[in-house]
Amino acid sequence: METYSVKRYPVAPGVRLNVRSGPGTHYGIVKVLPEGVNVPINCQTPGTWVSGPYGTSNLWDNIANGQYVADAYVRTGTDGYVTVRCA
């Protein structure tokens, strides 16, 4: 199995970000991240389209087991994948 270090990325300034149980806005909110946090991105997967400070994207970032945030709210420096696709 391939090993890689999980990089952390900053959430958009002034945003309290909803963390959902799956990659879409129809999934329940499991928690809300406080302003100014950096999140680890374990893997990424397509889901609901969301517009945020960093554009409009259907990419969702897995930050922990069963926890997803919309990539449009995370400053990764790209509109594309920055890590592996979730299985």
Side-chain angles (χ1 to χ4, degrees):
M1 183 167 158
E2 186 179 335
T3 59
Y4 59 95
S5 62
V6 174
K7 191 170 175 203
R8 297 181 81 87
Y9 297 90
V11 170
V15 171
R16 295 178 71 240
L17 190 56
N18 291 335
V19 179
R20 296 188 178 268
S21 61
T25 53
H26 57 284
Y27 288 92
I29 297 171
V30 293
K31 67 180 179 181
V32 178
L33 297 175
E35 293 181 25
V37 297
N38 291 335
V39 292
I41 300 179
N42 301 313
C43 62
Q44 294 175 291
T45 191
T48 308
W49 285 91
V50 172
S51 291
Y54 302 118
T56 300
S57 174
N58 71 335
L59 208 53
W60 286 73
D61 305 331
N62 174 271
I63 62 167
N65 190 25
Q67 297 182 21
Y68 293 83
V69 296
D71 189 68
Y73 285 89
V74 181
R75 194 179 77 213
T76 60
T78 179
D79 289 340
Y81 287 84
V82 295
T83 188
V84 297
R85 190 168 174 150
C86 300

